[in-house]
């Protein structure tokens, strides 16, 4: 298992239930094949550097996790098709292996 860090943001105007459903879906994809979530940190509402899809603010979440490198493509696919998630980034953290 390799260590990864993922940062994503959702529209701050969506309801809490939709945001929790997106977080649960991400958690299920990571843990499906033996991955583990080390830490999930909700940063809250932050100002965006530039407007994205008509938004000037985003509700950010940072997730540290360990997963098999083969499962990252599936996680990326799920993040892309989840409507609640506006943008995301997954980075391999070799300093945490």
């Amino acid at each position: 298992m390799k260590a990864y860090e993922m940062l994503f943001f959702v529209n701050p105007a969506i309801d809490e239930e939709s945001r929790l459903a997106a977080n649960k879906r991400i958690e299920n994809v990571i843990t499906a094949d033996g991955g583990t979530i080390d830490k999930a940190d909700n940063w809250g509402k932050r100002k965006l550097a530039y407007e994205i899809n008509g938004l000037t603010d985003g509700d950010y979440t940072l997730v540290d996790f360990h997963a098999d490198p083969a499962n990252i493509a599936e996680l990326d696919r799920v993040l892309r098709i989840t409507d609640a998630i506006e943008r995301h980034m997954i980075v391999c953290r070799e300093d945490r292996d």
Side-chain angles (χ1 to χ4, degrees):
M1 298 276 176
K2 288 192 165 238
Y4 292 94
E5 184 175 83
M6 173 178 55
L7 182 67
F8 65 90
F9 77 88
V10 298
N11 185 341
I14 67 169
D15 58 286
E16 184 71 19
E17 186 176 304
S18 297
R19 187 161 36 96
L20 291 175
N23 286 345
K24 186 67 174 170
R25 186 169 185 192
I26 292 168
E27 180 183 327
N28 289 340
V29 171
I30 292 172
T31 59
D33 292 326
T36 59
I37 296 177
D38 301 327
K39 183 174 132 184
D41 189 17
N42 186 4
W43 288 3
K45 187 176 174 181
R46 302 272 175 115
K47 187 112 175 115
L48 299 176
Y50 53 91
E51 188 174 302
I52 297 174
N53 297 336
L55 299 173
T56 57
D57 296 319
D59 191 357
Y60 283 84
T61 303
L62 177 71
V63 180
D64 292 327
F65 65 98
H66 282 80
D68 187 34
N71 296 338
I72 298 302
E74 174 63 15
L75 176 61
D76 187 53
R77 185 189 72 79
V78 168
L79 289 165
R80 287 178 193 272
I81 64 173
T82 303
D83 292 334
I85 297 174
E86 297 292 334
R87 293 280 169 100
H88 71 278
M89 182 171 61
I90 304 171
V91 178
C92 182
R93 294 293 307 258
E94 295 185 7
D95 59 328
R96 294 185 184 164
D97 280 342

